[in-house]
Amino acid sequence: MHNSAQAKEIDRDYLAEEGADLAKGRAAFLSVDLVHGRIHAYAADEYADIAPVLVGSGWHMRWPIPPIGNLRANALIEDAAKHADNLFNMVSLRVEPDPHGVTLYAGAGTAIDAIQRRCAEEWRTHYEAPGRA
């Protein structure tokens, strides 16, 4: 069972302030690593069409995001991090028996939904930006 007395904060891996790192691949994602407690945004070609095994096992969770600039990506990471903290503290890793994965405790779904809504808001803002019509 989840023990709230041992709550930990998730590490935030921010992108360099200048640049467009998320425009370098075919797809961009916000990712929460539930094994190591880390949130970051990245662009990918190799995982654009299929989910990596760590996502399939539930050890990592990821949400598609638009190819935004690094400053906006860092703001997204910061906004989602409080929900990722809650999520990270509401799971336990399962390594035995097979299949490996995570166990989600009560309240984890709320954190997942909040991250999804924040990513969806980023898509809405991206498509409503001037000049995108």
Side-chain angles (χ1 to χ4, degrees), residues 12-131:
R12 294 150 173 84
D13 290 345
Y14 296 109
L15 299 171
E17 286 188 24
E18 298 298 322
D21 292 347
L22 301 182
K24 295 179 181 175
R26 290 188 307 175
F29 299 96
L30 179 70
S31 175
V32 175
D33 176 343
L34 295 173
V35 175
H36 300 103
R38 184 180 110 174
I39 185 171
H40 72 286
Y42 68 97
D45 282 333
E46 67 273 17
Y47 300 130
D49 299 325
I50 59 166
V53 70
L54 292 175
V55 171
S57 68
W59 290 359
H60 290 199
M61 291 190 160
R62 69 178 188 172
W63 296 264
I65 58 174
I68 55 179
N70 289 4
L71 287 176
R72 282 189 49 200
N74 288 341
L76 174 61
I77 291 169
E78 185 61 32
D79 290 349
K82 63 185 171 193
H83 304 295
D85 285 338
N86 291 337
L87 179 59
F88 182 54
N89 285 293
M90 293 179 188
V91 301
S92 64
L93 299 178
R94 185 181 67 239
V95 294
E96 292 294 332
D98 273 339
H100 300 316
V102 296
T103 300
L104 301 174
Y105 297 111
T110 302
I112 292 167
D113 288 347
I115 295 169
Q116 172 61 38
R117 284 192 308 275
R118 181 58 182 88
C119 292
E121 176 65 21
E122 200 61 48
W123 278 107
R124 187 189 63 75
T125 302
H126 177 72
Y127 281 112
E128 290 179 354

